Amino acid sequence: MTLFENCLKESFSFEGEDRLCLSLLRGIIGNFDGDIFYMDIGCNDPFKNNNTYLFYKLGYMGICIDPLPESKKKFNKHREKDIFFNVAITDKEEEKNMQVYKDKIISLLTEVYDGASTLDEKTKKEYSFKFEEKEVIRVKTKTLKNIFKAMDLKDKIDIPLLSIDVEGFDEIVFKQALEINHNFEIIIVEDKNFNLTRKFPQSEISKIAHKYGYILIAKTLLNSIYVRTKSDIFKWLPNSMLTYNIK
């Protein structure tokens, strides 16, 4: 498992999500024979704070989606194996105004937070207090179902990893993903309002996950990581980790 060993010290996610997913997917790393290993919705930058770049470095490819023109240029240049869609995923097919914010230095992390943008009105109000507005751009929106239709993907194709970061539309995109007949083994989705001391399912996203047979397996400050409970990939995990306590 040479590739796995070479990446043991690398992480490109904001909070180490790619390392957690690499550990969970240990059974298929090195012997995955499918064409598409990941789907990255709201991928933004090909390297920085990116949940799928580690897997790209391992030799895999996937579908990357982001409405920012800068993202399209970066992915076409640096991740040419990936299939890139320059759109936003929502529940409608239309054109909308997207608010883009200026880069901001996060002093405690000594890094630049860039590419903050949103279509969601509630998120715009929240971000206006945190970030300086840069510009408003017109973007195309598509549903996830029509992305798969455009690619003519076979029904029930297995895609091990799905990452969702769409600033206000996470719940909508998460639900769309689970309604499609494509078995995502692991889903990373932003779900901040979560208290791990309370019973499950708790948030709206976790309720959707429970309905479609997914369970929370790990949590970072920003993101929740769900796994498909009936997947053969996770048979090595104790059964108690794959069962909700909803009493």
Side-chain angles (χ1 to χ4, degrees), residues 43-48 50 53 56 64 66 68-82 84 86 103 112 114-115 134:
C43 53
N44 193 292
D45 189 272
F47 315 114
K48 186 169 52 181
N50 186 280
Y53 181 55
Y56 185 85
C64 296
D66 200 281
L68 294 177
E70 294 85 355
S71 296
K72 179 181 179 180
K73 293 176 184 177
K74 290 177 183 178
F75 272 82
N76 287 344
K77 180 178 180 180
H78 299 290
R79 287 174 60 168
E80 38 187 40
K81 285 191 301 182
D82 285 334
F84 188 88
N86 195 203
D103 299 352
V112 176
D114 61 2
K134 179 181 178 181

Side-chain angles (χ1 to χ4, degrees), residues 177-191:
L178 297 189
E179 288 175 343
I180 295 172
N181 264 337
H182 298 291
N183 294 324
F184 300 105
E185 308 292 358
I186 298 178
I187 303 178
I188 308 169
V189 58
E190 187 169 315
D191 194 10

Side-chain angles (χ1 to χ4, degrees), residues 3-172:
L3 287 176
F4 183 87
E5 292 171 356
N6 286 344
C7 290
L8 283 177
K9 295 182 179 180
E10 293 183 294
S11 176
F12 302 93
S13 297
F14 187 63
E15 296 176 319
E17 292 88 346
D18 53 358
R19 304 294 314 142
L20 290 166
C21 292
L22 181 62
S23 178
L24 286 164
L25 293 170
R26 64 183 70 177
I28 64 170
I29 295 297
N31 59 20
F32 177 73
D33 58 2
D35 294 326
I36 299 171
F37 192 88
Y38 51 80
M39 188 166 196
D40 195 340
I41 305 175
C43 53
N44 193 292
D45 189 272
F47 315 114
K48 186 169 52 181
N49 299 334
N50 186 280
N51 292 329
T52 59
Y53 181 55
L54 177 61
F55 299 94
Y56 185 85
K57 286 197 71 177
L58 285 170
Y60 297 114
M61 63 162 286
I63 304 166
C64 296
I65 303 172
D66 200 281
L68 294 177
E70 294 85 355
S71 296
K72 179 181 179 180
K73 293 176 184 177
K74 290 177 183 178
F75 272 82
N76 287 344
K77 180 178 180 180
H78 299 290
R79 287 174 60 168
E80 38 187 40
K81 285 191 301 182
D82 285 334
I83 301 163
F84 188 88
F85 287 87
N86 195 203
V87 297
I89 302 299
T90 66
D91 53 352
K92 295 178 181 177
E93 303 257 332
E94 58 186 349
E95 287 194 2
K96 292 190 71 173
N97 288 334
M98 170 172 275
Q99 179 65 60
V100 182
Y101 299 87
K102 289 186 177 180
D103 299 352
K104 181 175 181 178
I105 301 293
I106 305 178
S107 57
L108 291 177
L109 299 177
T110 61
E111 67 173 78
V112 176
Y113 180 83
D114 61 2
S117 58
T118 185
L119 293 169
D120 181 59
E121 294 301 323
K122 182 179 178 181
T123 305
K124 285 179 186 178
K125 291 178 182 178
E126 177 187 338
Y127 279 9
S128 292
F129 289 103
K130 296 163 54 177
F131 305 113
E132 185 179 349
E133 294 179 358
K134 179 181 178 181
E135 61 181 336
V136 175
I137 62 174
R138 197 75 173 164
V139 301
K140 292 182 179 180
T141 71
K142 278 189 173 292
T143 63
L144 197 54
K145 182 177 181 179
N146 281 343
I147 289 288
F148 278 98
K149 186 177 180 180
M151 292 189 63
D152 194 26
L153 291 177
K154 294 179 181 178
D155 194 31
K156 295 185 179 179
I157 184 174
D158 291 340
I159 301 176
L161 177 62
L162 170 64
S163 177
I164 301 172
D165 185 1
V166 287
E167 309 300 341
F169 282 87
D170 301 275
E171 184 181 320
I172 290 172

